[in-house]
């Protein structure tokens, strides 16, 4: 069922990682993404693997939960692997029917797959360990400097938080409508692609109607309470940078530098 | 027995931080033609329970047997079960999607693979049963009023001619007139078609006016199962689990305490009027 999609969900728990300032977590996630693309050897990926395992332990998120979140990517990963394997030039390793597969191709394919997996696995910790409200608060605070050049940062973060807020609601709604149509004998599993597409109409029409109604209701409710965004709004929960946040950032930066250095050294050794 | 529920348990999102046991160890049976009321406080597991009866949810423990077919059995075609056990969800108007009322009511029957003539016949029959006028059939369901939409949605399930009809809070959010008329229609449906009806509600009045057997749920468990008279005589227990007896029963019980000689077990306003009138005419009250 749709409820089983764990990617992008918040996993409530009382861990150290959960308590970190969301701004620090966003910055670390951005650095992590850069790091994933800087890694060019297996040693680096092994280190990243250890990093993920440590993160799992610290954040008390079950490994099963993380793996389930990766599942929707499977098709995407397989697709990239195949494309890279066949379309990279270099020394021929073997021939698959009529297409040449090169050593370089195999290597790039594996690296691309690992890169994708680590990219998603690592960055999903941000949403797993940060509640949506904290996340958008953090984003707003990080985007604030850009307000000077006219970026509507408050509106952007408001839109983000509303969108995030409604993901579970819409999933629940979809589930309910699916159940109601199933109770009337609708079939979502069998049939060819056209029949399957047609079977979606009884879900999509009610879903859109309810989404528009909800958006309307929300707008009315916000207006009724005289909502107006902007710099004068105060927050119930202010973000505070503490000692642990700086420690976390320092540890991550040191780790990144270490991983990159190892990678460079490793390349030099292989270069011989 | 037509419907047998045995030791049914269900946990939402088991083995995660969100795990929540919705129902545990629920067992009951139902015969054909019964009119059963299912009551319980919000979150007592009523909705979860009924979603098991047509196989929408797979139990984490226990079993449901409909007409001799165990829903846990992999060979049982759940689709066919769903035509036998019609389930009307809470706020069923949210499921309407077709361009016309006619097409929407026909969705269920056409999924059953019925012929055009049979579908047509059933749509008209179901519309008449729930009180939808012929001229509304060609309208868009989104143009109708709330009560009419609700009736169209119910007709969509009734048109499948299920042997058990389950209605989850069919009167929620309707005005008194809409409420009474829907309940009246359901009562007539039960009488004319002889189908088993399970009515989920937390309005004691709705339940008292219609059903002959009541199931009471509390915190995921089935705590009482008995006739209307039996259940509503346990006023204190019902209050304890956040339920109540019909208001008119409370009034009657208070009158009896004050020495007015009318019989106990009165659950409808009509009956109460009749008894009080009798008492007054027999000279019970001296002015």
């Amino acid at each position: 069922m749709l409820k089983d999609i764990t990617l992008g969900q918040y996993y409530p728990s009382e861990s150290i990682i959960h308590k970190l300032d969301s701004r620090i977590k966003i910055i670390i996630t951005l650095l992590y993404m850069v790091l994933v693309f800087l890694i060019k050897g297996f040693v680096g990926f092994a280190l990243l693997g250890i990093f993920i395992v440590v993160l799992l332990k610290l954040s008390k998120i079950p490994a099963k939960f993380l793996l389930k979140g990766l599942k929707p990517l499977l098709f995407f990963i397989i697709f990239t692997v195949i494309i890279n394997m066949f379309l990279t030039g270099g020394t021929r390793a073997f021939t698959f029917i009529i297409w040449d597969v090169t050593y370089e191709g195999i290597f790039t394919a594996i690296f691309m797959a690992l890169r994708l997996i680590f990219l998603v696995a690592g960055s999903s910790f941000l949403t797993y360990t940060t509640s949506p409200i904290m996340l958008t608060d953090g984003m707003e605070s990080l985007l604030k400097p850009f307000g000077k050049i006219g970026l509507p940062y408050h509106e952007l973060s408001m839109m983000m938080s509303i969108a995030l807020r409604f993901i579970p609601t819409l999933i629940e709604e979809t589930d309910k409508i699916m159940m109601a149509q199933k109770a009337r004998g609708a079939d979502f599993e069998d049939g060819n692609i056209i029949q399957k597409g047609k079977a979606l109409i009884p879900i999509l029409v009610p879903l859109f109607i309810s989404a528009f109604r909800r958006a309307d209701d929300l707008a009315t409710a916000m207006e009724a309470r005289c909502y107006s965004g902007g710099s004068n709004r105060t927050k119930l929960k202010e973000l505070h940078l503490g000692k642990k946040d700086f420690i976390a950032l320092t540890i991550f930066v040191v780790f990144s530098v270490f991983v990159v250095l190892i990678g460079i050294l490793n390349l030099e050794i292989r270069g011989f | 027995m037509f419907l047998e529920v045995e030791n049914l348990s269900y946990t939402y999102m088991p083995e995660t931080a969100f795990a929540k046991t919705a129902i545990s160890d629920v067992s009951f049976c139902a015969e054909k033609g019964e009119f059963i009321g299912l009551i319980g406080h919000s979150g007592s597991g009523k909705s979860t329970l009924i979603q098991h009866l047509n196989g929408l949810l797979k139990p984490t423990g226990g079993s449901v047997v409909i007409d001799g077919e165990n829903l846990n059995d992999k060979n049982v075609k759940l689709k066919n079960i769903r035509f036998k056990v019609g389930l009307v969800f809470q706020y069923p108007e949210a499921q309407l999607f077709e361009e016309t009322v006619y097409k929407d009511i026909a969705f269920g029957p056409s999924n059953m693979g019925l012929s055009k003539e049979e579908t047509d016949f059933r749509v008209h029959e179901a519309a008449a049963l729930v009180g939808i006028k012929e001229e509304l059939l060609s309208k868009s369901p989104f143009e109708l009023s709330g009560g009419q939409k609700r009736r169209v949605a119910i007709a969509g399930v009734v048109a499948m001619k299920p042997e058990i009809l389950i209605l989850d809070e069919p009167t929620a959010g309707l005005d008194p007139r809409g409420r009474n008329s829907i309940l009246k229609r359901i009562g007539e449906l039960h009488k004319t078609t002889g189908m088993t009806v399970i009515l989920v509600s937390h309005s004691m009045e709705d339940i008292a006016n219609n059903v002959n057997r009541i199931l009471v749920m509390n915190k995921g468990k089935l705590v009482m199962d008995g006739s209307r008279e039996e259940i509503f005589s346990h006023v204190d227990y019902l209050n304890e689990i956040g339920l109540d007896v019909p208001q008119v029963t409370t009034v009657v019980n208070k009158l009896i305490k004050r020495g007015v000689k009318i019989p106990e077990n009165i659950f409808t306003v009509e009956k109460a009027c009749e008894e009080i009138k009798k008492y007054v005419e027999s000279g019970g009250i001296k002015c």
Side-chain angles (χ1 to χ4, degrees), chain A residues 64 179 181-182 184 206 209, chain B residues 15 94-95 104 111 142:
Chain A
K64 232 166 105 187
M179 289 242 228
Q181 306 300 22
K182 267 190 189 168
R184 295 207 280 166
I209 289 169
Chain B
E15 292 162 48
Q95 72 189 26
D104 214 293
N111 280 334
F142 302 108

Side-chain angles (χ1 to χ4, degrees), chain A residues 3-4 9-12 64-65 68 173 176-177 179-187 201-202 205-206 209, chain B residues 12-13 15 17-18 51 54 56-57 79 82-83 87 89 94-97 104 107-108 111 142 156-157 160:
Chain A
K3 272 184 196 144
D4 295 335
Q9 234 182 41
Y10 175 53
Y11 187 93
K64 232 166 105 187
F65 198 76
K68 243 164 109 189
E173 191 91 18
K176 243 192 224 159
I177 295 169
M179 289 242 228
Q181 306 300 22
K182 267 190 189 168
R184 295 207 280 166
D187 198 339
I201 295 173
V205 173
I209 289 169
Chain B
Y12 280 103
M13 304 190 86
E15 292 162 48
F18 311 104
Q51 281 167 28
N54 67 350
L56 282 175
L57 290 178
K79 209 170 153 182
R82 285 173 195 150
F83 299 135
L87 177 55
F89 275 82
Q95 72 189 26
L96 302 175
F97 69 98
D104 214 293
F107 182 64
N111 280 334
F142 302 108
V157 174
M160 303 193 302

